[in-house]
Amino acid sequence: QVQLVESGGGLVQPGGSLRLACAVPGSIFSIVIMGWYRQAPGKERELVASINNIGLTNYADSVKGRFTISRDNAKKTVYLQMNSLKPEDTAVYYCNTVVPRSTTWGQGTQVTVSS
């Protein structure tokens, strides 16, 4: 079982920015597709962004143009830069593998967008 730890969440005003980080074990970093997921109260967990081993990215329509997923191969870390944040972005954010799919989740990091 791979343990992933998310960090960087917090409280931000609408229009603000946050950067989330997720350290990934080096043994899998180069061979998996990583993603950021989020789950808002009363809603299903959704995949908001993913990145493969060569940097190809995909985004949910709701975050396109505002969020950027990236990876630092030296630090074995995946980031999610979130700009122009909206109240609708409020959720617990998780990082995890996308391929292969995982059913084990960490604690996530809370992102709250509110004035």
Side-chain angles (χ1 to χ4, degrees):
Q1 185 173 346
V2 177
Q3 181 67 51
L4 302 172
V5 179
E6 304 90 347
S7 63
L11 174 64
V12 65
Q13 292 184 314
S17 298
L18 286 172
R19 189 173 76 155
L20 309 183
C22 175
V24 182
S27 60
I28 67 166
F29 184 77
S30 65
I31 60 173
V32 300
I33 297 175
M34 294 298 305
W36 284 96
Y37 300 77
R38 68 185 182 188
Q39 187 168 28
K43 294 187 177 295
E44 293 291 307
R45 184 182 292 111
E46 63 173 332
L47 177 65
V48 299
S50 64
I51 185 166
N52 74 1
N53 62 322
I54 59 171
L56 183 65
T57 59
N58 280 287
Y59 299 92
D61 288 342
S62 59
V63 306
K64 284 181 179 177
R66 299 188 299 119
F67 290 11
T68 303
I69 188 171
S70 62
R71 58 196 295 158
D72 185 320
N73 292 337
K75 296 181 178 179
K76 303 295 188 291
T77 301
V78 178
Y79 301 94
L80 185 68
Q81 178 67 46
M82 304 184 294
N83 298 325
S84 302
L85 282 161
K86 304 175 180 179
E88 307 93 88
D89 297 317
T90 296
V92 178
Y93 284 71
Y94 304 86
C95 69
N96 215 332
T97 58
V98 178
V99 179
R101 179 176 293 277
S102 177
T103 57
T104 302
W105 301 88
Q107 292 184 235
T109 186
Q110 176 72 49
V111 172
T112 302
V113 184
S114 176
S115 59

